[in-house]
Amino acid sequence: MTTPHYIDGRWVEGQGNDCITVHEPALGLPFAELMSASTAQVDQAVAAARRALPAWKQTSAGERAALLRGFAEQLGARREDLIALQMRNNGKPRHEAEIDLDDAVATFTYYADLAEQLPEKNRDVPLAVPGFSARTRLEPVGVVGLIVPWNFPLVTSAWKLAPALAAGCTVVLKPSEVTPLIEQAYGQIAEQLGLPAGVLNIVNGKAETGAALSGHSGLDKLSFTGSNGVGSQVMRASAVQCRPLTLELGGKSAIVVFDDCDVDQAVEWIVAGFTWNAGQMCSATSRLLVQDGIADALLPRLQEALEKLRVGNPLTEEVDMGPLTSQAQWLKVAGYFATARDEGLQCLAGGKALDREGWFVSPTLYVDVPQSSRLWSEEIFGPVLCARRFSTEQQAIAQANDSRFGLVATVCSADLQRAERVADALEVGHVWINSVQAVFVETSWGGTKGSGIGRELGPWGLSAYQSVKHVTRCLG
Ligand code: NAD
């Protein structure tokens, strides 16, 4: 792939310092290479977005909505290719890759609908004081930088791109160096739909390219999804420029299981909550809090379910879980297995890398994990579950909230009043009751505490790319 960067409506070669090797994690083998974008090319992309902004923000909301619908249709037209690429490059099982594609399509369609409703939002404001009129204008924030990770590349980019374009912003997107091919589809679709040059630019690269974008003085806003470590660097860069940012960061989320649950159903929720995408989810519910009355029945069944999970190459086998997406992630998870051994944690399932080619680990369960353990408090980003018991509702809430993160949580109980009460008490951005990882475009996404700043999806996702202006007129 020699021209991987889409700048000012043209595909260009990378002139940066980094060679990016793209891997097939199920085999641990490379299958593509590209050169990163240079700092000068990031400058060109931001300048192109700046030039494109005045005309793009003057387009009608209806015109933008039509283009967003075009994105949704064209994603559908590339469905098989994009599913295959996600399976190959991310190691996703087919059904997961299909859900990602459907999510991206739904996101573009949803923001097309919201764009169409924009004219109604620019309306008069009733005032209590006579003699004045006032009206609201929701204006695009301007040129935005979008930096995304590798775990849900199609989806995470859609959650930023669709609302940014709907609002009338122009963008520079930097995909992850681990999965740089998937978002090429967005550039190809932009070209095919005749999106004006510079409205959408894509620069690929590693930290150097990301830092050139996040620190660029030509941006009006940055929206970042990724780790807390890089998030804090990006926040510092935005502070220097005194400009707004959205941060979608990590998590260490709880799943709370009360003893009135059906054991088999609870096991299903628990397994899905931490093994989907091989546990590489910011929203993985990787801390299990299980009530005393059900723990002895549930934990052996959970162990059994994990041992039965089919782990393998999604391109050649029927699997429930694929490999970890990168060697770095595989080494990180293996490091946590070593820490667990050093800490003397009790392992009921997994706890090791698989003895085969590729970057596979077993789905893993540690029980009676002390709150002082690193595995209890740190985001592992792999299929590793740590369990603790509780006796009262208050204990469950206190243990669930005892985290520096606050992204999501799941509450499982047959007593819906209790489940709603616990949901209200949890310090997170999203709670699922008797379900896991169900994300709808109409509801918000984002966290409290160390999990980030701001919200994506729903009307909040659009507001993130809008600036509110009021025009007040004296009628006298
Ligand atoms: P990461 O922070 O390493 O990288 C994210 C992006 O930042 C990549 O595109 C990377 O190239 C870029 N980058 C790296 N160094 C940079 C720098 N100095 N300046 C600017 N950009 C830089 O994260 P990752 O490993 O790709 O993704 C995993 C993390 O993402 C996990 O912590 C996970 O919880 C988080 N995540 C959060 C959400 C959410 O919605 N809250 C969603 C998905 C992933």
Side-chain angles (χ1 to χ4, degrees):
M1 165 141 239
T2 54
T3 56
H5 314 286
Y6 188 60
I7 300 174
D8 205 9
R10 286 185 304 125
W11 291 99
V12 294
E13 282 175 28
Q15 292 164 359
N17 298 318
D18 295 315
C19 177
I20 297 169
T21 306
V22 189
H23 287 90
E24 185 167 340
L27 303 177
L29 295 174
F31 70 93
E33 271 193 350
L34 50 119
M35 288 306 292
S36 64
S38 64
T39 302
Q41 287 180 305
V42 173
D43 287 345
Q44 289 162 17
V46 174
R50 179 64 57 198
R51 279 194 303 277
L53 182 64
W56 180 244
K57 71 179 188 184
Q58 293 302 328
T59 53
S60 72
E63 284 172 76
R64 297 199 296 278
L67 281 161
L68 291 174
R69 288 194 203 291
F71 271 91
E73 273 165 29
Q74 287 305 318
L75 282 170
R78 288 155 202 263
R79 187 178 175 83
E80 278 310 313
D81 288 350
L82 286 169
I83 288 171
L85 185 53
Q86 290 185 95
M87 290 169 72
R88 187 170 189 201
N89 189 190
N90 278 87
K92 288 177 191 271
R94 185 176 176 91
H95 65 281
E96 295 191 16
E98 286 174 351
I99 286 178
D100 282 14
L101 194 279
D102 292 342
D103 186 322
V105 170
T107 304
F108 278 96
T109 306
Y110 174 75
Y111 283 107
D113 291 346
L114 281 202
E116 272 161 0
Q117 293 160 23
L118 267 178
E120 295 160 32
K121 308 258 179 214
N122 291 341
R123 61 180 168 231
D124 290 346
V125 182
L127 301 175
V129 174
F132 288 89
S133 74
R135 65 186 168 88
T136 308
R137 258 176 78 77
L138 295 174
E139 300 191 338
V141 164
V143 175
V144 293
L146 312 176
I147 300 182
V148 295
W150 45 263
N151 56 338
F152 294 95
L154 261 189
V155 173
T156 317
S157 293
W159 289 7
K160 296 185 191 303
L161 260 186
L165 295 176
C169 294
T170 57
V171 309
V172 180
L173 169 69
K174 196 204 85 63
S176 166
E177 64 273 30
V178 180
T179 52
L181 305 181
I182 292 168
E183 282 103 330
Q184 300 292 307
Y186 290 128
Q188 290 157 2
I189 293 171
E191 194 177 23
Q192 193 177 346
L193 296 175
L195 199 73
V199 172
L200 163 60
N201 304 273
I202 302 175
V203 290
N204 279 289
K206 300 184 180 177
E208 187 180 327
T209 310
L213 181 59
S214 62
H216 205 288
S217 60
L219 298 183
D220 297 307
K221 169 162 187 167
L222 189 87
S223 180
F224 172 85
T225 299
S227 63
N228 284 60
V230 176
S232 106
Q233 292 179 45
V234 159
M235 193 170 178
R236 238 171 276 142
S238 289
V240 170
Q241 306 288 338
C242 260
R243 67 166 173 237
L245 89 159
T246 295
L247 291 178
E248 297 289 353
L249 305 176
K252 185 75 185 182
S253 300
I255 176 164
V256 182
V257 179
F258 285 96
D259 56 16
D260 55 3
C261 283
D262 175 76
V263 172
D264 290 330
Q265 178 61 81
V267 165
E268 215 175 280
W269 288 326
I270 295 165
V271 171
F274 86 100
T275 62
W276 191 267
N277 209 31
Q280 301 165 118
M281 297 179 285
C282 51
S283 55
T285 40
S286 56
R287 289 187 298 145
L288 168 63
L289 290 164
V290 56
Q291 200 165 19
D292 289 331
I294 195 176
D296 288 339
L298 183 138
L299 292 172
R301 295 272 267 283
L302 181 55
Q303 175 184 21
E304 210 178 297
L306 294 176
E307 281 164 357
K308 278 196 197 142
L309 221 62
R310 297 165 303 172
V311 181
N313 183 346
L315 289 170
T316 57
E317 303 160 54
E318 271 292 310
V319 298
D320 302 307
M321 193 179 97
L324 296 174
T325 299
S326 71
Q327 188 177 35
Q329 200 52 40
W330 184 66
L331 291 170
K332 184 179 169 198
V333 174
Y336 278 102
F337 292 150
T339 303
R341 282 192 292 277
D342 292 347
E343 289 184 358
L345 297 188
Q346 191 188 339
C347 183
L348 277 198
K352 55 183 189 313
L354 291 193
D355 185 18
R356 58 176 284 173
E357 64 190 354
W359 300 322
F360 292 92
V361 296
S362 313
T364 296
L365 170 62
Y366 296 108
V367 293
D368 297 327
V369 177
Q371 278 168 293
S372 57
S373 166
R374 281 184 52 204
L375 278 85
W376 183 257
S377 58
E378 295 176 11
E379 182 183 51
I380 298 174
F381 226 55
V384 181
L385 180 69
C386 294
R388 289 178 61 78
R389 297 167 191 240
F390 69 91
S391 61
T392 67
E393 183 180 317
Q394 286 317 314
Q395 279 176 355
I397 293 167
Q399 289 195 44
N401 285 342
D402 184 21
S403 170
R404 73 186 180 101
F405 297 108
L407 192 56
V408 301
T410 290
V411 183
C412 309
S413 175
D415 176 348
L416 293 182
Q417 274 188 343
R418 169 168 65 187
E420 294 284 351
R421 199 166 56 232
V422 173
D424 288 353
L426 293 173
E427 296 163 354
V428 296
H430 204 123
V431 182
W432 293 294
I433 293 177
N434 296 338
S435 60
V436 281
Q437 308 293 335
V439 181
F440 300 101
V441 284
E442 298 85 357
T443 59
S444 72
W445 188 258
T448 61
K449 303 198 273 190
S451 288
I453 298 173
R455 292 290 180 271
E456 297 195 302
L457 292 184
W460 307 274
L462 183 62
S463 303
Y465 296 99
Q466 289 174 322
S467 173
V468 180
K469 179 193 270 183
H470 280 101
V471 180
T472 301
R473 184 163 19 133
C474 178
L475 300 174

